[in-house]
Amino acid sequence: MQKEFIPKLFALLKQGISKETLIKDILSGLIVGIVALPLAIAFAIASGVSPEKGIITAVIAGIVIAAFGGSRVQIGGPTGAFIVIVYGIVQEHGINGLTIATFMAGFIIIAMGIAKLGNYLKFIPYSLIVGFTSGIALIIFSSQINDFLGLGISKIPANFIEKWAVYFQNFSHINWYAIVIALPTVLITLFSQKVLKKIPGSIIAILLSTIVVQLFNIPVDTIESNFGQIPNNINLPSIPHIDFETVKALIQPAFAIAILGSIESLLSAVVSDSMIGGKHRSNMELIAQGAANIATALFGGIPATGAIARTATNVKNGGRTPISGIVHGLVLLAIMLLFAPYAKLIPMSCLAGILVVVAYHMSEWRQFKSILKGSRMDIIILLTTFFLTVTFDLIIAIEIGIILASFMFMKRMSEAVHVKSISSEITKKEHLFDDELSSLPKEILLYEINGPLFFGAARQFQETITNFNKDYKVVILRMRYVPMIDATGFQSLKEIITTFNSEGVLIILSGIKPDLRASFRNNGIYEIIDRKYIVNNINIAITKAKNYLLK
């Protein structure tokens, strides 16, 4: 088996894990498990599903991702990034549709890992990631206004604009008790770490608000009043029923889950690498992420991925091997089995305050502001992705964002391809390409091509080359700095050669890399040009050109 497809845990167990490291991992797993509890519940509720589904996801995905992933310290589970997608799927297809979409997404992610696409997802533009992440943050913030202010709205529209219109109509119903709970929750979550390093602020806020609400019988919504009891057991796994019509209906959301989950998990792995000086295995990480989503779907959970904030918490508390991630999952399982009945007492306004903090951290407003000072194309991708996420749909935002990013890539790659006439420079005495070129006959035209000839640059290449003076008898294309040619590039090259042949002009190709010569044969270049005019260096090309002129 290739090294990149071996889980990090297996490799570390083979090397041996010291007792000191093991103790630190266990302690870190305990802390991260406690941190993950309120987030798992809050993310589930914000996604439109019952609280236990978030805990189940954190347990199953946390263990699977840690045990089989390609990162040393990755913590997996439900994340804020999925709230928008999950909520939309639940509204349109129901809980069963969400389970099937998650199940399908798992197989898609595994396929991406096997195809080694983990090596390429890192090239998705940062402006695209910040765009949809900031949009998600705004949507999460908006979705919490009802509970934060205690408005008591039973049915909230999914559309961003309609949602705020309903809020404005109901501001007269503000429950000030809810605000008194939500605001301190925000402050405690944000600033408690400055005083209590080891105890998560969200846990402190939940304990204080729950105790106060129960002692003084404060009239605010709780998990129990909205969702009833939280089960303290996990159902046996079951395979969802899937038919072709269901696949057609859910393939788009499944791909959105797969792409978003893959991006976030690898981004989290990269961040953790920088913190511990490690190097994750991207493709193994994707396979583990896919397996985790399949497993959570079997147990009735929601989509899962690598969680950046929880992974960072793991690192800061001493976690250095996947054992901490496994312990984190087991801690959540123990909490669910032993304390789930008490979780129903948590005030909804407290969870809303925690999610407001999550939205603030997700907003990446500093990076957003920085990108707005950058290139025009980055700004277009950022703003387009952001506004599509907020006003329409995250799936559409990702699709359009990737298309725009592809156009940006093509534009920049085409700009990186330089085609210049060396002969004209020699004539103007502005530049001598090489010493031997100073005496180049005027009937010979020499072009230097730098960069890959792919579909984004092929048209520019063809137009530049074919726009030549008819007085030239020989054209030399110097291609020593052409690393690759795709099908479109080969088609343009064939059209150029055909054009030259029809004009009675000899074309000589110089400096072709050995690995491109096989492609020349496969793409029909040898059928339209004599092989003796495909040479290794410029000296041979010039000699052949001069001999041709002497005939």
Side-chain angles (χ1 to χ4, degrees), residues 269-346:
V270 169
V271 171
S272 64
D273 281 350
S274 66
M275 296 177 71
I276 65 173
K279 186 176 182 181
H280 73 281
R281 296 168 181 173
S282 300
N283 297 309
M284 191 63 237
E285 184 64 25
L286 288 184
I287 292 173
Q289 297 287 340
N293 278 279
I294 293 172
T296 58
L298 293 176
F299 284 93
I302 60 178
T305 184
I308 297 176
R310 275 159 277 169
T311 299
T313 302
N314 182 32
V315 173
K316 291 177 182 177
N317 284 281
R320 289 299 180 270
T321 76
I323 291 174
S324 59
I326 295 174
V327 171
H328 135 271
L330 295 175
V331 168
L332 283 168
L333 177 60
I335 293 174
M336 182 177 187
L337 296 176
L338 299 175
F339 301 105
Y342 301 102
K344 67 182 181 182
L345 304 176
I346 299 174

Side-chain angles (χ1 to χ4, degrees), residues 44-151:
I45 292 173
S47 300
V49 300
S50 53
E52 78 277 2
K53 292 187 179 297
I55 304 176
I56 291 171
T57 303
V59 171
I60 303 298
I63 294 173
V64 172
I65 289 172
F68 302 103
S71 171
R72 295 173 67 104
V73 293
Q74 183 85 282
I75 300 295
T79 67
F82 279 129
I83 288 176
V84 180
I85 291 180
V86 172
Y87 188 84
I89 295 174
V90 170
Q91 295 299 308
E92 187 172 351
H93 303 284
I95 297 295
N96 187 56
L98 172 64
T99 299
I100 295 172
T102 305
F103 191 72
M104 292 166 56
F107 286 101
I108 294 171
I109 299 173
I110 289 176
M112 293 168 68
I114 294 174
K116 299 184 179 181
L117 295 183
N119 299 329
Y120 305 101
L121 285 173
K122 66 186 73 174
F123 297 119
I124 291 179
Y126 191 57
S127 53
L128 171 60
I129 295 174
V130 172
F132 70 68
T133 302
S134 299
I136 290 169
L138 181 56
I139 292 174
I140 292 174
F141 171 78
S142 300
S143 68
Q144 299 310 303
I145 297 300
N146 183 39
D147 291 327
F148 195 97
L149 301 181
L151 299 178

